[in-house]
Amino acid sequence: MSLLQKDETLTASTEVRASADQVYAVISDVTRIPEWSPETRRAEWLGPDRFRAWNRRRLGRWRTVAKVVEAEPGRKFSFAVQAMGGDWTRWTYLIEPGSTAGATRLTEKFRMCVPLPFGAMVFERLFLFIWDRRTDLQKNLEVSVDRIRTIVEAGVDA
């Protein structure tokens, strides 16, 4: 099995019965990421465009710092997780018109900004028990968009 490569991209999408602005209000509040992420346990703003996240999975625990790189209300929210002096991964939420009136299509996109270092792969195998990070990330993306849909629709129904 090959390691994740630089510029490799994975995506997952869902239809949300809500407006683009309602979807954006949820995804752009990084403190809510733990509500949908399978790995993030806490997130807090460090400044107007930077935040820290605490992550946990099985035996592994790690912190990340991310910088918001795009924030277009009702259209797109994107941040880059930074490590070793640069962008490590980029997470983007795209908001588009849905297939029916009153629906919005949400796509979560993950992109590797660097080739996955060997040490990161060792950490994932020894502490996270992940042997195929590509498949694991794809499942996490699908879980995330499904959870976001549930969160947003619950807010619309409230």
Side-chain angles (χ1 to χ4, degrees), residues 18-128:
S19 72
D21 289 336
Q22 289 167 317
V23 174
Y24 185 84
V26 171
I27 62 169
S28 63
D29 180 355
V30 301
T31 65
R32 298 190 71 179
I33 292 173
E35 294 178 43
W36 64 78
S37 170
E39 295 181 345
T40 303
R41 297 298 177 245
R42 184 167 67 118
E44 68 180 20
W45 288 105
L46 298 174
D49 66 348
R50 295 179 66 76
F51 65 95
R52 175 175 288 127
W54 288 260
N55 304 286
R56 185 179 74 215
R57 178 100 181 254
R58 297 184 178 106
L59 301 178
R61 287 170 173 66
W62 66 102
R63 284 186 302 186
T64 58
V65 173
K67 178 178 177 55
V68 175
V69 292
E70 293 180 274
E72 299 175 38
R75 297 190 60 216
K76 182 189 290 188
F77 185 77
S78 182
F79 60 87
V81 172
Q82 300 178 318
M84 300 189 311
D87 293 350
W88 182 271
T89 58
R90 186 160 176 168
W91 299 83
T92 301
Y93 298 90
L94 300 170
I95 302 167
E96 303 168 301
S99 61
T100 60
T104 299
R105 182 170 182 77
L106 171 65
T107 300
E108 183 175 7
K109 179 177 170 183
F110 163 88
R111 182 174 66 86
M112 280 300 298
C113 298
V114 297
L116 184 67
F118 180 76
M121 185 271 304
V122 170
F123 173 81
E124 289 177 350
R125 289 187 178 178
L126 292 179
F127 296 99
L128 309 183

Side-chain angles (χ1 to χ4, degrees), residues 129-140:
F129 309 132
I130 296 172
W131 293 95
D132 181 352
R133 186 57 159 164
R134 188 175 291 106
T135 299
D136 185 72
L137 277 170
Q138 184 63 49
K139 288 178 186 172
N140 284 354

